[in-house]
């Protein structure tokens, strides 16, 4: 399955991506995670991306597209993938169509939209904590670790993302409305968009997602 997750910052894309990718049996490719790994390693890509990420702006398309193109050409992604955080602009979506056509004579099967309102997004982002070693996502109220600041899964240190400060969250929501929301109409027009209610407990959202994707899985076609 070739699948894209779309939704505003804090909709739960990263949280759901892990479960869905495992369920469907495809690699999860998160542009946010790739950028953050480059930032923490201090690579030239990370240094360039950091200034945009800290403001809550998008990293320029030319940088992002090359990075994703290279990742999609890796062996594990040839048969399918779950993209989290890409595409985020209509030019990125058009380029993704080109990459798939050129590399594997294929196209996207489905774009899953996680629908959640801004008030909930702010609540989720302000309490988010991420494990420094395994990247697992926690929330101080909705999904707290047993011990404050420590990941239950591997004992790693939990940190708050720099772009989860209130002013940056506000800008990220504006950027989403202006630059990413037009993708909803783009993909609806191609007949590949499926939306689900992404509110309520994480497990309920996962079940809704798996249900919505069932018609697109190879076994069902
Ligand atoms: P990225 O990392 O992709 O950030 P984002 O899209 O803003 O999404 P988030 O990671 O903030 O939220 P999410 O939807 O994954 O929510 P999560 O699961 O963590 O990108 C970061 C930056 O990188 C961008 O701003 C940009 O600068 C750059 N970038 C990345 N891709 C790019 C691209 N293609 N082009 C250009 N630039 C790009 O959940 C949030 C919180 O809510 C967590 O604490 C979680 O525990 C909690 N939660 C999740 N689900 C529930 C639930 N059902 N109920 C209660 N709490 C929940």
């Amino acid at each position: 399955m070739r699948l894209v997750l779309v939704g505003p910052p804090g909709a739960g894309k990263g949280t759901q991506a892990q479960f869905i990718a495992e369920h469907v049996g495809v690699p999860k490719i998160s542009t946010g995670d790739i950028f953050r790994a480059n930032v923490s390693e201090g690579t030239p890509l990370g240094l360039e991306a950091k200034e945009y990420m800290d403001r809550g702006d998008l990293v320029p398309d030319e940088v992002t597209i090359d990075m994703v193109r290279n990742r999609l050409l890796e062996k594990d992604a040839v048969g399918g993938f779950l993209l989290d955080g890409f595409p985020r602009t209509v030019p990125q979506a058009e380029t993704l169509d080109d990459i798939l056509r050129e590399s594997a004579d294929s196209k996207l099967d489905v774009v899953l939209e996680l629908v959640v309102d801004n008030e909930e997004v702010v609540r989720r982002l302000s309490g988010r904590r991420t494990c420094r070693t395994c990247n697992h996502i926690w929330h101080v109220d909705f999904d707290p670790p047993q011990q404050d600041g420590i990941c239950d899964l591997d004992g790693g240190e939990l940190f708050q993302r720099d772009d989860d400060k209130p002013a940056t969250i506000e800008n990220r929501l504006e950027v989403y409305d202006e630059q990413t929301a037009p993708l909803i109409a783009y993909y609806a027009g191609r007949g590949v968009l499926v939306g689900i209610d992404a509110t309520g407990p994480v497990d309920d959202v996962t079940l809704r997602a798996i249900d919505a994707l069932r018609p697109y899985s190879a076994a069902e076609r």
Side-chain angles (χ1 to χ4, degrees):
M1 188 187 290
R2 295 179 176 85
L3 158 70
V4 164
L5 274 191
V6 68
K13 300 183 298 296
T15 302
Q16 296 300 332
Q18 195 63 47
F19 299 124
I20 297 171
E22 272 168 29
H23 180 82
V24 176
V26 293
K28 171 187 90 110
I29 300 173
S30 158
T31 43
D33 284 351
I34 300 175
F35 282 135
R36 278 185 290 279
N38 277 275
V39 169
S40 62
E41 286 160 18
T43 67
L45 173 67
L47 292 177
E48 182 169 5
K50 187 175 181 342
E51 59 173 299
Y52 297 97
M53 295 172 79
D54 284 352
R55 286 197 302 266
D57 288 336
L58 296 184
V59 179
D61 279 353
E62 57 273 22
V63 176
T64 309
I65 285 169
D66 273 355
M67 181 180 88
V68 173
R69 187 193 305 274
N70 292 336
R71 179 63 187 90
L72 287 178
L73 291 175
E74 284 177 34
K75 217 170 164 188
D76 66 329
V78 172
F81 51 76
L82 181 156
L83 278 169
D84 159 22
F86 184 94
R88 256 177 149 97
T89 62
V90 170
Q92 288 185 7
E94 290 167 344
T95 309
L96 177 60
D97 290 342
D98 292 343
I99 295 171
L100 294 179
R101 205 172 25 245
E102 287 158 17
S103 65
D105 194 21
S106 63
K107 50 192 174 61
L108 281 180
D109 293 303
V110 57
V111 175
L112 184 69
E113 181 193 5
L114 301 186
V115 180
V116 51
D117 65 34
N118 283 3
E119 216 177 297
E120 178 68 7
V121 157
V122 172
R123 257 198 305 272
R124 289 184 183 183
L125 292 180
S126 28
R128 171 167 54 192
R129 300 291 182 272
T130 308
C131 176
R132 218 174 268 293
T133 42
C134 73
N135 281 332
H136 188 83
I137 302 163
W138 300 91
H139 191 284
V140 292
D141 299 318
F142 305 134
D143 186 16
Q146 287 185 1
Q147 201 184 332
D148 240 13
I150 306 287
C151 179
D152 287 359
L153 302 183
D154 64 358
E157 180 202 359
L158 302 186
F159 72 98
Q160 182 166 29
R161 275 169 46 173
D162 286 340
D163 58 351
D164 281 346
K165 293 179 196 125
T168 316
I169 292 175
E170 203 176 311
N171 187 43
R172 286 163 65 199
L173 285 169
E174 280 171 23
V175 167
Y176 179 81
D177 286 343
E178 284 164 19
Q179 300 188 54
T180 307
L183 284 180
I184 305 300
Y186 177 88
Y187 283 126
R190 278 161 180 68
V192 290
L193 184 77
V194 179
I196 60 161
D197 172 11
T199 58
V202 170
D203 290 352
D204 289 2
V205 179
T206 308
L207 289 177
R208 270 177 234 142
I210 288 171
D211 214 35
L213 294 174
R214 196 157 286 134
Y216 303 90
S217 72
E220 303 279 338
R221 277 183 284 166

